[in-house]
Amino acid sequence: PNGTTYTWATPVVISGSVTGQTSASNASEINQTLNNRGTTLAVVTYTVTPRYQNCDGQPFKIAVNIAPTLTTNAVQPVSICSGNAFTVSPVGNVTGTKYTWVANVISGSATGFASENTPSSTISQTISNAGTSSALIEYTVTPVYGACVGANFKFTVTVAPAIAKNTITASQTICAGKKPNELLGSSPTGGNNSFTYEWEQSTDGINWVVATGTKDGINYAPSTLTQTTQYRRNVKSNSCAVNTS
């Protein structure tokens, strides 16, 4: 009822290092400023006795969790290819910390990234880059635990464009038992601008096998043929999706 007061002994520190907890008598509310001097979550328990006029009520307990200043380990830069997802799981000093963030393009052109105001334990987005050079996205992240907010930290995501411009020379007509002219491949773009090649061949256009001879160059020199044979070139760059000519 109105007029009830509360009395409690010095609260018991269950875990952590805390200051500010004191006993009180006949207080109209339970209100103290507590400080966590450590780096992990602290817990303090109050055992409170209510009193109305001259009548004492049943004691009850209140457990108070006091978060320290929130800190987060540094997040390393992330690199992905266009159309791929990344996931960052920050490691903070308090278990259960979640994160909000603001995302901005620093350079290049990209879509799929977004800021997030709803706290989440991980930062994960799928980003596409329709340009011809890498895009750089900067994430400014805020740690949140309950009503506690930590200092912002940043990390970047580099988004490589998809592999493109992978073409080879046109079809040839030769006689059986002859060698075709060397197949010339274009210089591809995209990825991280470092490419590896693999040439394949097929006699039916359905079943493909690794081409004979030296099959890992930008160009390819076929061997002597006795039947119609098709060729194609696979281009790889970093973790980007393979592009087939």
Side-chain angles (χ1 to χ4, degrees):
N2 291 335
T4 298
T5 60
Y6 304 92
T7 297
W8 60 88
T10 301
V12 177
V13 177
I14 304 301
S15 63
S17 178
V18 180
T19 60
Q21 72 279 17
T22 60
S23 60
S25 298
N26 300 319
S28 61
E29 60 181 15
I30 305 165
N31 186 349
Q32 291 193 323
T33 300
L34 306 179
N35 295 303
N36 184 339
R37 299 186 302 174
T39 58
T40 59
L41 192 68
V43 180
V44 174
T45 298
Y46 288 71
T47 301
V48 183
T49 300
R51 167 170 285 195
Y52 180 71
Q53 295 181 357
N54 293 322
C55 299
D56 287 340
Q58 183 68 31
F60 60 91
K61 293 182 181 292
I62 301 173
V64 181
N65 297 325
I66 308 102
T69 299
L70 299 180
T71 60
T72 306
N73 294 347
V75 174
Q76 297 302 309
V78 176
S79 294
I80 62 171
C81 287
S82 178
N84 290 351
F86 77 90
T87 298
V88 168
S89 300
V91 177
N93 61 327
V94 177
T95 301
T97 298
K98 295 186 176 182
Y99 305 89
T100 61
W101 61 86
V102 175
N104 290 299
V105 175
I106 302 301
S107 62
S109 176
T111 59
F113 65 93
S115 301
E116 182 57 69
N117 292 322
T118 301
S120 173
S121 57
T122 60
I123 304 165
S124 182
Q125 295 187 328
T126 299
I127 305 177
S128 296
N129 178 355
T132 57
S133 60
S134 292
L136 184 66
I137 316 298
E138 182 180 71
Y139 286 77
T140 302
V141 184
T142 303
V144 179
Y145 181 84
C148 302
V149 177
N152 291 343
F153 64 91
K154 296 183 178 183
F155 70 92
T156 57
V157 177
T158 300
V159 187
I163 299 171
K165 297 185 179 179
N166 175 25
T167 60
I168 61 176
T169 47
S171 299
Q172 304 174 35
T173 300
I174 63 171
C175 296
K178 298 295 184 179
K179 283 186 179 181
N181 294 329
E182 183 179 27
L183 304 179
L184 304 180
S186 63
S187 296
T189 61
N192 64 357
N193 289 317
S194 177
F195 304 99
T196 59
Y197 306 96
E198 181 183 69
W199 289 80
E200 294 180 321
Q201 64 186 58
S202 172
T203 56
D204 60 11
I206 298 174
N207 300 296
W208 293 85
V209 297
V210 176
T212 59
T214 303
K215 70 283 187 179
D216 57 1
I218 190 171
N219 303 320
Y220 175 69
S223 58
T224 300
L225 300 179
T226 59
Q227 60 182 321
T228 299
T229 304
Q230 299 179 52
Y231 293 91
R232 67 185 187 185
R233 186 182 69 172
N234 297 321
V235 178
K236 304 176 183 178
S237 180
N238 199 14
S239 60
C240 296
V242 175
N243 184 285
T244 301
S245 62

